[in-house]
Amino acid sequence: MTRAEVYEKLNKVFQDVFDDETITVHDETTSEDIEDWDSLEHINLVVAVENEFDVDFNMGEVNKMKNVGEMVDIILQRAEG
Amino acid sequence: MNHYTFNDLYVGQREEFSVTVTENMLSSFRAVTGDVNPLHTDDAFAQAYNYPQHVVYGLLTTSFLSTLTGVYLPGERCLIQSVEVKFPKPVFVGDELLVVGTVAELHESVRQLVLKVEIMRRGVRVLKGTMRLGVLEG
């Protein structure tokens, strides 16, 4: 899976979770960029990403992710692994 | 009161309890919420809409999900994050309800439990839905 392919799916996940079809995310996107991205929606987002990509993050990874790019890095690592 | 930790839980795990709806429960719910809609208080009004008697508040029936999760599954470490429910059939005073929860998903990264919930009256489903629950550490 390429980084572009991950983003294609990931944009759809973000749009579904935040119920906003205009959302497009990139490597530097953080919770500061999406108004509804609070702690509860963060949980929903992580679960939706896990389901979409059939990956399981661990708690340490979730706590350390600084932006969407780091989430994509982990998704790609899992896909390679 | 159950004391399940996240690690105690598994997909397919199930808990249930029974409760009979009383007129006093409706009165208490009305006192708390101020919902005086006649569908829930007036038999004649309800019968005009083809119900045999006044109908139990859907959110009173839903309130038993608080007990299901906060007392039974997972019990004391429960933190309700969301509730989605549908009401396929009405509930009436005197109905004995079986309140059932089954673990559908576990997401360790965010300590979230997805619980399929249903409430049955003599084998007929009167509520169905999904709850997302945090499981507190400790």
Side-chain angles (χ1 to χ4, degrees):
Chain A
M1 195 182 317
T2 67
R3 201 168 187 87
E5 288 169 338
V6 171
Y7 269 105
E8 190 175 337
K9 286 184 170 183
L10 199 56
N11 280 326
K12 183 74 169 63
V13 171
F14 271 77
Q15 290 165 6
D16 286 347
V17 168
F18 295 107
D19 197 22
D20 181 351
E21 292 185 0
T22 68
I23 291 177
T24 303
V25 294
H26 47 81
D27 277 354
E28 288 75 34
T29 303
T30 71
S31 59
E32 299 296 312
D33 301 311
I34 298 175
E35 186 181 356
D36 291 338
W37 192 344
D38 54 27
S39 59
L40 180 57
E41 291 296 5
H42 185 70
I43 290 171
N44 294 332
L45 178 65
V46 169
V47 170
V49 170
E50 286 182 335
N51 287 341
E52 175 64 33
F53 292 93
D54 195 22
V55 298
D56 289 320
F57 299 120
N58 63 49
M59 209 177 298
E61 289 170 334
V62 170
N63 293 336
K64 275 190 271 184
M65 287 175 195
K66 293 190 186 69
N67 53 37
V68 170
E70 293 190 7
M71 179 183 279
V72 172
D73 290 343
I74 295 170
I75 292 168
L76 286 168
Q77 284 167 17
R78 292 288 200 285
E80 289 167 8
Chain B
M1 172 75 72
N2 287 329
H3 310 274
Y4 292 119
T5 66
F6 190 87
N7 290 336
D8 293 331
L9 301 169
Y10 57 91
V11 173
Q13 189 171 0
R14 173 187 163 114
E15 293 278 349
E16 63 181 48
F17 71 96
S18 295
V19 61
T20 299
V21 181
T22 67
E23 194 65 59
N24 191 45
M25 288 178 181
L26 268 72
S27 299
S28 297
F29 187 90
R30 189 158 47 247
V32 170
T33 64
D35 183 353
V36 294
N37 185 297
L39 186 66
H40 308 297
T41 61
D42 184 340
D43 282 344
F45 182 91
Q47 285 160 0
Y49 292 93
N50 296 320
Y51 295 105
Q53 62 183 88
H54 59 293
V55 178
V56 171
Y57 298 93
L59 294 186
L60 170 57
T61 304
T62 307
S63 72
F64 297 122
L65 300 180
S66 185
T67 314
L68 176 69
T69 56
V71 177
Y72 291 90
L73 188 59
E76 69 174 3
R77 294 180 178 83
C78 175
L79 185 65
I80 296 176
Q81 295 171 340
S82 71
V83 184
E84 294 177 30
V85 292
K86 293 180 180 177
F87 307 104
K89 298 286 182 186
V91 174
F92 303 104
V93 170
D95 284 351
E96 183 180 357
L97 304 177
L98 180 66
V99 184
V100 184
T102 307
V103 177
E105 297 175 30
L106 290 165
H107 298 280
E108 189 174 10
S109 58
V110 287
R111 302 180 67 83
Q112 189 189 69
L113 154 63
V114 180
L115 194 68
K116 287 289 177 194
V117 296
E118 57 183 358
I119 299 181
M120 315 288 288
R121 179 193 55 222
R122 295 190 301 276
V124 175
R125 191 159 57 178
V126 298
L127 178 149
K128 61 180 179 180
T130 303
M131 298 180 74
R132 291 180 178 272
L133 312 168
V135 183
L136 300 173
E137 292 184 59

